[in-house]
Each structure stands twice: as C-alpha cells, then as structure tokens.
Amino acid sequence: MRIVNITEAKAKLSRLVDQALAGEEVVIARAGRPLVRLSVVQADDRPRDLSHGYWAGRIAIADDFDAPLPDDVLDAVEGRAA
C-alpha cells in the first residue's frame, strides 16, 4: 500500500491513477492520517442506445418556444427601465 500526502497527490495524480489501475493500493493522507483510497471503477460495458429519435415521445417543446418575448419581459432582460 502506498500512502501519499495531498500535496504530493496533486502534483502526481496522473502517476497515482496509473498505479491504481495497475492494481496497487494508493491512499491519500493529510498530515499522515489516511483520508481516501484511489480505486478502479468497473466500467459499464452495456451498449447505450444513441440512435436517432431516442428521446422521441419523452420530451415536448412548446409551440411558442421561439416566439418573441413580450416587451415588458424583454425590457427587464435587457436592463431597460420600464
């Protein structure tokens, strides 16, 4: 098990991640007290459905989505006095 202080971990994070990926246990400490452990995350290898139309029927866009804003709202957004 390798214990490194936070300052060293910040400077060598990439190297520590590589060591954790290689199976070495890496612990990050503050003032010599262990705080956290770097560990490998098991990737979710299930294929995601990224096909066209995936969100069809799941969301709705209002018919007036791109309609001009009312003058009073536009004035407030643009910082003009009423």
Side-chain angles (χ1 to χ4, degrees):
M1 173 172 56
R2 175 156 186 209
I3 299 177
V4 296
N5 281 320
I6 290 178
T7 304
E8 181 183 357
K10 287 176 15 178
K12 300 178 179 178
L13 181 60
S14 182
R15 185 177 307 145
L16 294 173
V17 169
D18 289 340
Q19 291 172 353
L21 288 171
E24 185 177 340
E25 186 175 11
V26 178
V27 174
I28 300 175
R30 177 184 295 142
R33 293 184 56 215
L35 297 175
V36 297
R37 176 181 300 125
L38 289 179
S39 64
V40 178
V41 175
Q42 299 302 321
D44 182 5
D45 293 334
R46 292 178 294 169
R48 297 186 313 165
D49 182 5
L50 299 176
S51 61
H52 182 71
Y54 179 75
W55 287 100
R58 298 180 185 200
I59 61 171
I61 297 175
D63 291 334
D64 64 346
F65 172 77
D66 57 352
L69 293 172
D71 288 337
D72 58 331
V73 174
L74 188 59
D75 289 343
V77 170
E78 294 181 350
R80 290 185 256 171

Short mmCIF file of all heavy atoms in Angstrom, two decimals, residues 19-81:
data_model
loop_
_atom_site.label_atom_id
_atom_site.label_comp_id
_atom_site.label_asym_id
_atom_site.label_seq_id
_atom_site.Cartn_x
_atom_site.Cartn_y
_atom_site.Cartn_z
N GLN A 19 -0.92 3.88 -11.19
CA GLN A 19 -0.56 2.85 -10.22
C GLN A 19 -1.81 2.13 -9.71
O GLN A 19 -1.80 0.90 -9.55
CB GLN A 19 0.22 3.47 -9.06
CG GLN A 19 1.60 3.93 -9.46
CD GLN A 19 2.31 4.70 -8.37
OE1 GLN A 19 1.73 5.02 -7.34
NE2 GLN A 19 3.57 5.03 -8.62
N ALA A 20 -2.88 2.88 -9.46
CA ALA A 20 -4.12 2.25 -9.01
C ALA A 20 -4.69 1.34 -10.09
O ALA A 20 -5.16 0.24 -9.81
CB ALA A 20 -5.14 3.33 -8.61
N LEU A 21 -4.61 1.78 -11.34
CA LEU A 21 -5.07 0.95 -12.45
C LEU A 21 -4.26 -0.33 -12.58
O LEU A 21 -4.78 -1.37 -13.01
CB LEU A 21 -5.02 1.73 -13.76
CG LEU A 21 -6.07 2.83 -13.94
CD1 LEU A 21 -5.76 3.66 -15.17
CD2 LEU A 21 -7.46 2.22 -14.02
N ALA A 22 -2.99 -0.26 -12.18
CA ALA A 22 -2.13 -1.44 -12.24
C ALA A 22 -2.34 -2.37 -11.05
O ALA A 22 -1.71 -3.41 -10.96
CB ALA A 22 -0.67 -1.00 -12.30
N GLY A 23 -3.25 -2.00 -10.14
CA GLY A 23 -3.57 -2.87 -9.03
C GLY A 23 -2.96 -2.49 -7.70
O GLY A 23 -3.21 -3.14 -6.69
N GLU A 24 -2.14 -1.43 -7.68
CA GLU A 24 -1.53 -1.01 -6.43
C GLU A 24 -2.54 -0.20 -5.62
O GLU A 24 -3.30 0.60 -6.16
CB GLU A 24 -0.29 -0.15 -6.71
CG GLU A 24 0.47 0.23 -5.47
CD GLU A 24 1.73 1.01 -5.79
OE1 GLU A 24 2.22 0.94 -6.93
OE2 GLU A 24 2.23 1.68 -4.88
N GLU A 25 -2.57 -0.42 -4.31
CA GLU A 25 -3.46 0.35 -3.45
C GLU A 25 -2.80 1.69 -3.16
O GLU A 25 -1.67 1.75 -2.69
CB GLU A 25 -3.73 -0.40 -2.15
CG GLU A 25 -4.75 0.28 -1.29
CD GLU A 25 -5.12 -0.54 -0.06
OE1 GLU A 25 -4.43 -1.53 0.22
OE2 GLU A 25 -6.08 -0.16 0.60
N VAL A 26 -3.51 2.76 -3.44
CA VAL A 26 -3.00 4.11 -3.22
C VAL A 26 -3.92 4.83 -2.24
O VAL A 26 -5.13 4.92 -2.47
CB VAL A 26 -2.91 4.91 -4.55
CG1 VAL A 26 -2.41 6.32 -4.29
CG2 VAL A 26 -2.03 4.19 -5.54
N VAL A 27 -3.35 5.32 -1.14
CA VAL A 27 -4.12 6.02 -0.13
C VAL A 27 -3.60 7.46 -0.05
O VAL A 27 -2.39 7.69 -0.02
CB VAL A 27 -3.98 5.33 1.25
CG1 VAL A 27 -4.66 6.13 2.34
CG2 VAL A 27 -4.55 3.92 1.18
N ILE A 28 -4.52 8.41 0.00
CA ILE A 28 -4.16 9.82 0.12
C ILE A 28 -4.42 10.24 1.57
O ILE A 28 -5.49 9.98 2.12
CB ILE A 28 -4.94 10.69 -0.88
CG1 ILE A 28 -4.64 10.24 -2.30
CG2 ILE A 28 -4.60 12.17 -0.69
CD1 ILE A 28 -5.46 10.93 -3.36
N ALA A 29 -3.42 10.90 2.15
CA ALA A 29 -3.48 11.29 3.56
C ALA A 29 -3.29 12.79 3.73
O ALA A 29 -2.75 13.46 2.85
CB ALA A 29 -2.40 10.53 4.33
N ARG A 30 -3.73 13.27 4.88
CA ARG A 30 -3.47 14.67 5.26
C ARG A 30 -2.78 14.61 6.62
O ARG A 30 -3.29 13.98 7.55
CB ARG A 30 -4.77 15.46 5.37
CG ARG A 30 -4.52 16.90 5.85
CD ARG A 30 -5.79 17.69 6.06
NE ARG A 30 -6.49 17.88 4.80
CZ ARG A 30 -7.80 17.84 4.68
NH1 ARG A 30 -8.57 17.59 5.71
NH2 ARG A 30 -8.36 18.03 3.50
N ALA A 31 -1.62 15.22 6.71
CA ALA A 31 -0.82 15.22 7.94
C ALA A 31 -0.58 13.79 8.42
O ALA A 31 -0.62 13.51 9.62
CB ALA A 31 -1.51 16.06 9.01
N GLY A 32 -0.39 12.87 7.48
CA GLY A 32 -0.08 11.49 7.84
C GLY A 32 -1.29 10.63 8.17
O GLY A 32 -1.14 9.44 8.39
N ARG A 33 -2.48 11.22 8.20
CA ARG A 33 -3.70 10.46 8.51
C ARG A 33 -4.40 10.07 7.21
O ARG A 33 -4.79 10.95 6.43
CB ARG A 33 -4.65 11.29 9.37
CG ARG A 33 -4.10 11.57 10.76
CD ARG A 33 -5.08 12.31 11.63
NE ARG A 33 -6.33 11.58 11.72
CZ ARG A 33 -7.52 12.16 11.79
NH1 ARG A 33 -7.63 13.47 11.77
NH2 ARG A 33 -8.61 11.44 11.87
N PRO A 34 -4.57 8.78 6.94
CA PRO A 34 -5.24 8.34 5.71
C PRO A 34 -6.65 8.90 5.62
O PRO A 34 -7.41 8.89 6.59
CB PRO A 34 -5.27 6.82 5.85
CG PRO A 34 -4.18 6.50 6.82
CD PRO A 34 -4.12 7.66 7.75
N LEU A 35 -7.00 9.42 4.42
CA LEU A 35 -8.33 10.00 4.21
C LEU A 35 -9.13 9.24 3.16
O LEU A 35 -10.29 8.91 3.38
CB LEU A 35 -8.20 11.47 3.77
CG LEU A 35 -7.57 12.43 4.75
CD1 LEU A 35 -7.43 13.80 4.11
CD2 LEU A 35 -8.42 12.52 6.01
N VAL A 36 -8.51 9.02 2.00
CA VAL A 36 -9.24 8.40 0.89
C VAL A 36 -8.35 7.37 0.20
O VAL A 36 -7.13 7.42 0.29
CB VAL A 36 -9.74 9.44 -0.15
CG1 VAL A 36 -10.74 10.40 0.46
CG2 VAL A 36 -8.58 10.20 -0.75
N ARG A 37 -9.00 6.48 -0.53
CA ARG A 37 -8.28 5.44 -1.27
C ARG A 37 -8.67 5.56 -2.74
O ARG A 37 -9.85 5.67 -3.07
CB ARG A 37 -8.67 4.06 -0.74
CG ARG A 37 -8.07 2.91 -1.50
CD ARG A 37 -8.50 1.57 -0.94
NE ARG A 37 -8.09 1.45 0.45
CZ ARG A 37 -8.93 1.18 1.45
NH1 ARG A 37 -10.21 1.00 1.22
NH2 ARG A 37 -8.48 1.09 2.67
N LEU A 38 -7.68 5.54 -3.62
CA LEU A 38 -7.95 5.51 -5.06
C LEU A 38 -8.29 4.07 -5.43
O LEU A 38 -7.58 3.14 -5.04
CB LEU A 38 -6.73 5.95 -5.87
CG LEU A 38 -6.35 7.42 -5.83
CD1 LEU A 38 -5.11 7.66 -6.68
CD2 LEU A 38 -7.48 8.28 -6.31
N SER A 39 -9.35 3.90 -6.17
CA SER A 39 -9.72 2.56 -6.60
C SER A 39 -10.23 2.60 -8.03
O SER A 39 -10.71 3.63 -8.51
CB SER A 39 -10.77 1.95 -5.67
OG SER A 39 -11.96 2.70 -5.73
N VAL A 40 -10.15 1.47 -8.69
CA VAL A 40 -10.58 1.35 -10.08
C VAL A 40 -12.09 1.21 -10.12
O VAL A 40 -12.68 0.47 -9.32
CB VAL A 40 -9.90 0.13 -10.74
CG1 VAL A 40 -10.37 -0.04 -12.17
CG2 VAL A 40 -8.40 0.27 -10.68
N VAL A 41 -12.72 1.90 -11.03
CA VAL A 41 -14.16 1.80 -11.24
C VAL A 41 -14.41 0.83 -12.38
O VAL A 41 -13.80 0.94 -13.44
CB VAL A 41 -14.75 3.19 -11.59
CG1 VAL A 41 -16.22 3.08 -11.92
CG2 VAL A 41 -14.50 4.17 -10.46
N GLN A 42 -15.28 -0.13 -12.14
CA GLN A 42 -15.61 -1.08 -13.20
C GLN A 42 -16.54 -0.40 -14.20
O GLN A 42 -17.61 0.09 -13.84
CB GLN A 42 -16.30 -2.32 -12.60
CG GLN A 42 -15.43 -3.07 -11.62
CD GLN A 42 -14.11 -3.53 -12.23
OE1 GLN A 42 -14.07 -3.95 -13.38
NE2 GLN A 42 -13.05 -3.41 -11.47
N ALA A 43 -16.11 -0.35 -15.44
CA ALA A 43 -16.87 0.33 -16.49
C ALA A 43 -18.14 -0.45 -16.82
O ALA A 43 -18.17 -1.68 -16.76
CB ALA A 43 -16.02 0.47 -17.74
N ASP A 44 -19.17 0.27 -17.15
CA ASP A 44 -20.42 -0.34 -17.60
C ASP A 44 -20.28 -0.59 -19.10
O ASP A 44 -20.28 0.35 -19.89
CB ASP A 44 -21.57 0.61 -17.31
CG ASP A 44 -22.92 0.02 -17.69
OD1 ASP A 44 -22.97 -1.15 -18.10
OD2 ASP A 44 -23.92 0.74 -17.57
N ASP A 45 -20.12 -1.83 -19.48
CA ASP A 45 -19.87 -2.16 -20.88
C ASP A 45 -21.15 -2.37 -21.69
O ASP A 45 -21.08 -2.71 -22.87
CB ASP A 45 -19.00 -3.42 -20.98
CG ASP A 45 -17.60 -3.17 -20.46
OD1 ASP A 45 -17.17 -2.00 -20.52
OD2 ASP A 45 -16.95 -4.12 -20.01
N ARG A 46 -22.29 -2.16 -21.07
CA ARG A 46 -23.54 -2.32 -21.82
C ARG A 46 -23.63 -1.23 -22.89
O ARG A 46 -23.34 -0.06 -22.61
CB ARG A 46 -24.75 -2.20 -20.90
CG ARG A 46 -24.86 -3.35 -19.91
CD ARG A 46 -26.04 -3.15 -19.01
NE ARG A 46 -25.76 -1.97 -18.17
CZ ARG A 46 -26.67 -1.39 -17.40
NH1 ARG A 46 -27.89 -1.82 -17.36
NH2 ARG A 46 -26.35 -0.34 -16.67
N PRO A 47 -24.03 -1.59 -24.09
CA PRO A 47 -24.14 -0.57 -25.14
C PRO A 47 -25.29 0.39 -24.83
O PRO A 47 -26.33 -0.01 -24.31
CB PRO A 47 -24.41 -1.38 -26.40
CG PRO A 47 -24.93 -2.69 -25.92
CD PRO A 47 -24.36 -2.92 -24.55
N ARG A 48 -25.04 1.64 -25.13
CA ARG A 48 -26.09 2.65 -24.94
C ARG A 48 -26.81 2.87 -26.24
O ARG A 48 -26.21 2.82 -27.31
CB ARG A 48 -25.48 3.97 -24.47
CG ARG A 48 -24.80 3.84 -23.12
CD ARG A 48 -24.32 5.14 -22.58
NE ARG A 48 -23.59 5.91 -23.58
CZ ARG A 48 -23.29 7.18 -23.48
NH1 ARG A 48 -23.63 7.85 -22.44
NH2 ARG A 48 -22.62 7.79 -24.44
N ASP A 49 -28.09 3.14 -26.16
CA ASP A 49 -28.88 3.41 -27.36
C ASP A 49 -28.73 4.88 -27.73
O ASP A 49 -29.30 5.75 -27.10
CB ASP A 49 -30.35 3.08 -27.11
CG ASP A 49 -31.22 3.29 -28.34
OD1 ASP A 49 -30.66 3.60 -29.42
OD2 ASP A 49 -32.44 3.13 -28.23
N LEU A 50 -27.91 5.15 -28.72
CA LEU A 50 -27.68 6.52 -29.17
C LEU A 50 -28.31 6.76 -30.54
O LEU A 50 -27.93 7.67 -31.26
CB LEU A 50 -26.18 6.82 -29.23
CG LEU A 50 -25.44 6.70 -27.90
CD1 LEU A 50 -23.96 6.93 -28.11
CD2 LEU A 50 -25.99 7.66 -26.87
N SER A 51 -29.27 5.93 -30.88
CA SER A 51 -29.88 6.03 -32.20
C SER A 51 -30.73 7.30 -32.31
O SER A 51 -31.18 7.87 -31.32
CB SER A 51 -30.73 4.80 -32.48
OG SER A 51 -31.77 4.69 -31.51
N HIS A 52 -30.95 7.69 -33.53
CA HIS A 52 -31.77 8.87 -33.82
C HIS A 52 -33.18 8.65 -33.28
O HIS A 52 -33.77 7.60 -33.45
CB HIS A 52 -31.80 9.10 -35.34
CG HIS A 52 -32.57 10.31 -35.73
ND1 HIS A 52 -32.11 11.57 -35.47
CD2 HIS A 52 -33.78 10.45 -36.32
CE1 HIS A 52 -33.00 12.45 -35.92
NE2 HIS A 52 -34.02 11.79 -36.43
N GLY A 53 -33.70 9.63 -32.62
CA GLY A 53 -35.06 9.54 -32.11
C GLY A 53 -35.17 8.92 -30.74
O GLY A 53 -36.26 8.58 -30.30
N TYR A 54 -34.09 8.77 -30.05
CA TYR A 54 -34.11 8.14 -28.73
C TYR A 54 -35.04 8.88 -27.78
O TYR A 54 -35.73 8.26 -26.97
CB TYR A 54 -32.70 8.08 -28.17
CG TYR A 54 -32.61 7.47 -26.79
CD1 TYR A 54 -32.73 6.10 -26.62
CD2 TYR A 54 -32.43 8.26 -25.68
CE1 TYR A 54 -32.66 5.52 -25.37
CE2 TYR A 54 -32.36 7.70 -24.42
CZ TYR A 54 -32.47 6.34 -24.26
OH TYR A 54 -32.41 5.78 -23.02
N TRP A 55 -35.07 10.19 -27.85
CA TRP A 55 -35.90 10.99 -26.94
C TRP A 55 -37.31 11.22 -27.47
O TRP A 55 -38.11 11.90 -26.83
CB TRP A 55 -35.23 12.32 -26.64
CG TRP A 55 -34.06 12.16 -25.73
CD1 TRP A 55 -32.75 12.12 -26.07
CD2 TRP A 55 -34.11 11.95 -24.33
NE1 TRP A 55 -31.97 11.92 -24.96
CE2 TRP A 55 -32.78 11.80 -23.87
CE3 TRP A 55 -35.14 11.88 -23.40
CZ2 TRP A 55 -32.47 11.60 -22.55
CZ3 TRP A 55 -34.81 11.67 -22.07
CH2 TRP A 55 -33.50 11.53 -21.66
N ALA A 56 -37.64 10.67 -28.64
CA ALA A 56 -38.97 10.87 -29.23
C ALA A 56 -40.04 10.40 -28.25
O ALA A 56 -39.97 9.31 -27.70
CB ALA A 56 -39.08 10.10 -30.53
N GLY A 57 -41.02 11.27 -28.01
CA GLY A 57 -42.10 10.94 -27.10
C GLY A 57 -41.77 11.13 -25.64
O GLY A 57 -42.64 10.97 -24.78
N ARG A 58 -40.55 11.46 -25.31
CA ARG A 58 -40.15 11.64 -23.91
C ARG A 58 -40.09 13.10 -23.49
O ARG A 58 -40.09 13.40 -22.31
CB ARG A 58 -38.78 11.00 -23.67
CG ARG A 58 -38.80 9.52 -23.91
CD ARG A 58 -37.44 8.94 -23.66
NE ARG A 58 -37.43 7.53 -24.00
CZ ARG A 58 -36.56 6.66 -23.56
NH1 ARG A 58 -35.60 7.05 -22.75
NH2 ARG A 58 -36.62 5.41 -23.91
N ILE A 59 -39.96 13.99 -24.45
CA ILE A 59 -39.93 15.42 -24.14
C ILE A 59 -40.88 16.14 -25.08
O ILE A 59 -41.25 15.63 -26.13
CB ILE A 59 -38.51 16.02 -24.28
CG1 ILE A 59 -37.99 15.87 -25.71
CG2 ILE A 59 -37.55 15.40 -23.30
CD1 ILE A 59 -36.71 16.62 -25.97
N ALA A 60 -41.26 17.32 -24.69
CA ALA A 60 -42.14 18.13 -25.54
C ALA A 60 -41.62 19.56 -25.54
O ALA A 60 -41.17 20.07 -24.51
CB ALA A 60 -43.57 18.09 -25.01
N ILE A 61 -41.67 20.18 -26.69
CA ILE A 61 -41.27 21.58 -26.83
C ILE A 61 -42.52 22.37 -27.16
O ILE A 61 -43.26 22.02 -28.08
CB ILE A 61 -40.20 21.74 -27.93
CG1 ILE A 61 -38.94 20.96 -27.54
CG2 ILE A 61 -39.88 23.22 -28.15
CD1 ILE A 61 -37.87 20.95 -28.59
N ALA A 62 -42.75 23.41 -26.39
CA ALA A 62 -43.95 24.23 -26.58
C ALA A 62 -43.96 24.83 -27.98
O ALA A 62 -42.92 25.15 -28.55
CB ALA A 62 -44.01 25.32 -25.53
N ASP A 63 -45.17 24.99 -28.53
CA ASP A 63 -45.32 25.55 -29.88
C ASP A 63 -44.77 26.97 -29.95
O ASP A 63 -44.27 27.41 -30.99
CB ASP A 63 -46.79 25.56 -30.30
CG ASP A 63 -47.33 24.15 -30.53
OD1 ASP A 63 -46.52 23.25 -30.84
OD2 ASP A 63 -48.55 23.96 -30.38
N ASP A 64 -44.83 27.72 -28.83
CA ASP A 64 -44.36 29.11 -28.84
C ASP A 64 -42.94 29.23 -28.27
O ASP A 64 -42.53 30.30 -27.84
CB ASP A 64 -45.32 29.99 -28.06
CG ASP A 64 -45.39 29.64 -26.58
OD1 ASP A 64 -44.90 28.54 -26.19
OD2 ASP A 64 -45.93 30.45 -25.81
N PHE A 65 -42.17 28.16 -28.32
CA PHE A 65 -40.82 28.14 -27.76
C PHE A 65 -39.96 29.29 -28.29
O PHE A 65 -39.27 29.95 -27.53
CB PHE A 65 -40.15 26.80 -28.07
CG PHE A 65 -38.69 26.77 -27.69
CD1 PHE A 65 -38.31 26.62 -26.37
CD2 PHE A 65 -37.70 26.88 -28.65
CE1 PHE A 65 -36.98 26.58 -26.01
CE2 PHE A 65 -36.37 26.85 -28.30
CZ PHE A 65 -36.00 26.70 -26.98
N ASP A 66 -40.01 29.53 -29.58
CA ASP A 66 -39.15 30.57 -30.16
C ASP A 66 -39.91 31.85 -30.49
O ASP A 66 -39.44 32.69 -31.26
CB ASP A 66 -38.42 30.05 -31.40
CG ASP A 66 -39.36 29.55 -32.47
OD1 ASP A 66 -40.58 29.46 -32.21
OD2 ASP A 66 -38.87 29.25 -33.57
N ALA A 67 -41.08 32.02 -29.89
CA ALA A 67 -41.87 33.24 -30.11
C ALA A 67 -41.16 34.42 -29.43
O ALA A 67 -40.48 34.24 -28.42
CB ALA A 67 -43.27 33.08 -29.55
N PRO A 68 -41.30 35.61 -29.98
CA PRO A 68 -40.69 36.78 -29.35
C PRO A 68 -41.23 36.99 -27.93
O PRO A 68 -42.38 36.69 -27.64
CB PRO A 68 -41.11 37.95 -30.25
CG PRO A 68 -41.50 37.31 -31.55
CD PRO A 68 -42.00 35.94 -31.21
N LEU A 69 -40.38 37.48 -27.06
CA LEU A 69 -40.79 37.76 -25.69
C LEU A 69 -41.67 39.00 -25.64
O LEU A 69 -41.50 39.92 -26.45
CB LEU A 69 -39.56 37.99 -24.81
CG LEU A 69 -38.65 36.78 -24.58
CD1 LEU A 69 -37.37 37.21 -23.87
CD2 LEU A 69 -39.37 35.72 -23.80
N PRO A 70 -42.58 39.07 -24.68
CA PRO A 70 -43.36 40.29 -24.51
C PRO A 70 -42.42 41.46 -24.20
O PRO A 70 -41.35 41.27 -23.62
CB PRO A 70 -44.26 39.99 -23.31
CG PRO A 70 -44.28 38.50 -23.19
CD PRO A 70 -42.98 38.03 -23.75
N ASP A 71 -42.84 42.66 -24.56
CA ASP A 71 -41.98 43.84 -24.41
C ASP A 71 -41.52 44.05 -22.97
O ASP A 71 -40.36 44.40 -22.73
CB ASP A 71 -42.71 45.10 -24.91
CG ASP A 71 -42.81 45.11 -26.43
OD1 ASP A 71 -42.00 44.43 -27.09
OD2 ASP A 71 -43.72 45.80 -26.96
N ASP A 72 -42.41 43.85 -21.98
CA ASP A 72 -42.01 44.08 -20.59
C ASP A 72 -40.94 43.08 -20.14
O ASP A 72 -40.00 43.43 -19.42
CB ASP A 72 -43.22 44.06 -19.65
CG ASP A 72 -43.99 42.74 -19.72
OD1 ASP A 72 -43.98 42.07 -20.78
OD2 ASP A 72 -44.59 42.36 -18.69
N VAL A 73 -41.03 41.83 -20.58
CA VAL A 73 -40.03 40.83 -20.23
C VAL A 73 -38.72 41.14 -20.95
O VAL A 73 -37.64 41.08 -20.35
CB VAL A 73 -40.53 39.41 -20.58
CG1 VAL A 73 -39.43 38.39 -20.36
CG2 VAL A 73 -41.78 39.07 -19.78
N LEU A 74 -38.80 41.51 -22.21
CA LEU A 74 -37.62 41.85 -22.97
C LEU A 74 -36.90 43.05 -22.36
O LEU A 74 -35.67 43.06 -22.26
CB LEU A 74 -37.99 42.13 -24.43
CG LEU A 74 -36.85 42.31 -25.41
CD1 LEU A 74 -35.98 41.07 -25.44
CD2 LEU A 74 -37.39 42.61 -26.80
N ASP A 75 -37.67 44.05 -21.93
CA ASP A 75 -37.07 45.22 -21.28
C ASP A 75 -36.34 44.82 -20.00
O ASP A 75 -35.24 45.31 -19.73
CB ASP A 75 -38.14 46.27 -20.95
CG ASP A 75 -38.69 46.94 -22.21
OD1 ASP A 75 -38.03 46.85 -23.27
OD2 ASP A 75 -39.79 47.54 -22.11
N ALA A 76 -36.93 43.93 -19.21
CA ALA A 76 -36.31 43.51 -17.96
C ALA A 76 -35.01 42.73 -18.24
O ALA A 76 -34.01 42.90 -17.56
CB ALA A 76 -37.28 42.66 -17.15
N VAL A 77 -35.04 41.89 -19.24
CA VAL A 77 -33.85 41.08 -19.60
C VAL A 77 -32.73 41.97 -20.10
O VAL A 77 -31.56 41.76 -19.76
CB VAL A 77 -34.22 40.00 -20.64
CG1 VAL A 77 -32.98 39.33 -21.20
CG2 VAL A 77 -35.17 38.98 -20.05
N GLU A 78 -33.07 42.95 -20.88
CA GLU A 78 -32.07 43.84 -21.45
C GLU A 78 -31.69 44.99 -20.53
O GLU A 78 -30.85 45.82 -20.87
CB GLU A 78 -32.55 44.35 -22.81
CG GLU A 78 -32.64 43.23 -23.84
CD GLU A 78 -33.09 43.73 -25.21
OE1 GLU A 78 -33.51 44.89 -25.33
OE2 GLU A 78 -33.01 42.93 -26.15
N GLY A 79 -32.33 45.09 -19.37
CA GLY A 79 -31.98 46.12 -18.38
C GLY A 79 -32.54 47.48 -18.69
O GLY A 79 -32.08 48.48 -18.16
N ARG A 80 -33.53 47.53 -19.54
CA ARG A 80 -34.16 48.82 -19.84
C ARG A 80 -35.18 49.16 -18.78
O ARG A 80 -35.87 48.29 -18.27
CB ARG A 80 -34.85 48.79 -21.21
CG ARG A 80 -33.87 48.72 -22.35
CD ARG A 80 -34.58 48.81 -23.65
NE ARG A 80 -34.62 47.45 -24.20
CZ ARG A 80 -35.31 47.08 -25.24
NH1 ARG A 80 -36.07 47.95 -25.87
NH2 ARG A 80 -35.28 45.85 -25.68
N ALA A 81 -35.28 50.42 -18.40
CA ALA A 81 -36.26 50.86 -17.40
C ALA A 81 -37.66 50.73 -17.95
O ALA A 81 -37.90 50.96 -19.15
CB ALA A 81 -35.97 52.30 -16.99
#
